[in-house]
Amino acid sequence: MERKPALLHFKKAKSKKELSDEKQLTRMMRALKAIHSVSGAESMAPEDLARQRTAQDILGRLAAPMIGLRWEPFDLQGMKAAWIRPDWGHNPHQIILYCHGGGYTSGSLGYSRPLAAKLCHASGRETLCFEYRLAPEHPYPAAVDDAVRVWDYLMHQGYGARDIVVAGDSAGGNLALVLLHRLKAEGRQLPARLVLFSPWTDMTASGESYTQRAELDPTITMEYVQAVRTAYAGGADLKDPMLSPLFGDFTGFPPTLIQVGSNELLYSDAERLRDRMRATGALCRLEEWTEMWHVFQMMPIKKAGEAMEHVGEFLLG
């Protein structure tokens, strides 16, 4: 009987680009773990904060996809800020105001670059990022006051509220929501749309995911959440919508896109926000990305690219 030759299985060699992307991802994950390391992320000691903030700057420089974009830093009334502008033709009157994350205790223009650049790429809109003051040196409401100051700057530059999309990740998502709550309370017009990546909406940490997904989240711990909220909010009422925007009134809020990873400690913050927004008649879409972690969109991985494509489609819709 004729014998069939054994099947040989060859593993396809990885391309130089694939190897380069893997190395970059490895470096970025190391920086990410340094930011949220068990030994220091929950510490508000000056030397630990300095280390966390430096690690975030490194992560930002590694992750920012700046090809085809212009980075234009400037002084915004004593605050560091920067425009990211696309080199291709675009409508300069439609922009994104981006609020960076970092638990209100870290984050900078450098850390803002990756997501701000990806937002610019995905939407074709000029994107403004800014360095709001950080806790514990500058606790609540310093960051909110700074965000309102940037909003006022845009109004004075001739932009209308409907020309602006507000975006934010993590604590920056918190800040974006609080900014809208404050604008609404002052009777001012709200932006055209809202984009939130893994938003921190509930400083009381009352959602089920804070316990159910604690072992799944590779970046954030409950100890970290407790440390940064104490540094930022002090002894204030954590149910105040200016700290936990989840408990605010979303009547009249603009169409909102929320993206969250399935493995996140903050998963409930996103899910409950969607439910509360829809209950008041606001249009809100929640996207759950399987096996993804906190603000995964920053990383050079396929799902991050797909997620940003969804953002671009949402802003064009």
Side-chain angles (χ1 to χ4, degrees):
M1 183 172 65
E2 182 182 2
R3 296 183 62 186
K4 294 182 180 179
L7 294 176
L8 299 179
H9 298 278
F10 294 96
K11 187 176 181 180
K12 183 181 177 180
K14 293 181 179 179
S15 68
K16 288 184 179 180
K17 184 181 185 305
E18 289 173 328
L19 291 171
S20 175
D21 288 347
E22 284 186 2
K23 289 180 180 179
Q24 184 185 34
L25 181 58
T26 298
R27 292 195 299 268
M28 291 169 61
M29 289 303 292
R30 285 175 183 166
L32 193 61
K33 288 178 180 178
I35 295 167
H36 298 288
S37 64
V38 176
S39 61
E42 69 275 11
S43 172
M44 296 295 107
E47 61 273 16
D48 290 326
L49 274 175
R51 179 171 56 81
Q52 293 163 34
R53 292 167 180 175
T54 298
Q56 281 199 334
D57 281 336
I58 293 171
L59 180 62
R61 287 196 296 270
L62 288 170
M66 297 302 296
I67 296 176
L69 304 177
R70 302 191 306 276
W71 173 258
E72 300 177 3
F74 68 102
D75 180 87
L76 195 163
Q77 303 170 0
M79 187 189 317
K80 290 183 180 179
W83 284 102
I84 295 183
R85 307 186 198 269
D87 283 335
W88 61 89
H90 62 281
N91 183 350
H93 301 294
Q94 293 186 335
I95 65 169
I96 296 175
L97 173 60
Y98 167 63
C99 308
H100 70 74
Y104 282 117
T105 62
S106 59
S108 63
L109 285 187
Y111 186 62
S112 298
R113 284 170 67 118
L115 277 179
K118 289 188 175 189
L119 283 165
C120 186
H121 268 298
S123 67
R125 294 178 181 229
E126 298 182 3
T127 301
L128 176 63
C129 42
F130 61 102
E131 279 192 15
Y132 52 84
R133 289 169 291 171
L134 300 174
E137 299 94 330
H138 304 282
Y140 171 81
V144 184
D145 290 341
D146 289 347
V148 172
R149 188 148 57 100
V150 175
W151 182 267
D152 290 341
Y153 165 81
L154 291 174
M155 297 300 101
H156 292 150
Q157 293 298 307
Y159 297 100
R162 294 301 175 183
D163 299 324
I164 303 171
V165 170
V166 174
D169 70 284
S170 194
N174 181 294
L175 182 58
L177 287 162
V178 170
L179 171 62
L180 267 64
H181 278 318
R182 186 150 153 184
L183 293 174
K184 180 183 172 184
E186 295 174 357
R188 304 176 67 177
Q189 194 170 10
L190 301 185
R193 300 209 170 197
L194 184 59
V195 177
L196 304 171
F197 305 106
S198 304
W200 185 24
T201 69
D202 177 17
M203 287 196 182
T204 72
S206 58
E208 292 180 350
S209 62
Y210 281 89
T211 53
Q212 293 180 349
R213 308 194 185 204
E215 299 300 319
L216 295 176
D217 196 321
T219 61
I220 296 181
T221 65
M222 190 59 207
E223 291 76 16
Y224 172 76
V225 171
Q226 291 169 339
V228 296
R229 76 181 180 188
T230 298
Y232 180 64
D237 180 6
L238 296 177
K239 290 186 178 180
D240 185 336
M242 293 295 104
L243 293 170
S244 295
L246 175 67
F247 303 119
D249 178 12
F250 295 97
T251 304
F253 262 53
T256 300
L257 172 64
I258 308 169
Q259 293 183 343
V260 66
S262 65
N263 292 356
E264 290 203 43
L265 192 76
L266 302 185
Y267 181 87
S268 294
D269 286 38
E271 186 177 48
R272 295 167 73 199
L273 175 63
R274 175 204 59 193
D275 294 343
R276 288 186 65 89
M277 292 188 76
R278 287 182 175 178
T280 62
L283 298 176
C284 181
R285 185 170 86 218
L286 173 65
E287 294 184 351
E288 176 185 342
W289 290 80
T290 306
E291 297 184 356
M292 289 291 99
W293 55 88
H294 192 62
V295 197
F296 69 93
Q297 296 88 343
M298 183 180 290
M299 299 299 179
I301 57 177
K302 183 177 179 181
K303 283 189 177 181
E306 293 171 350
M308 297 309 298
E309 289 176 2
H310 287 202
V311 172
E313 293 166 0
F314 171 73
L315 296 184
L316 289 172

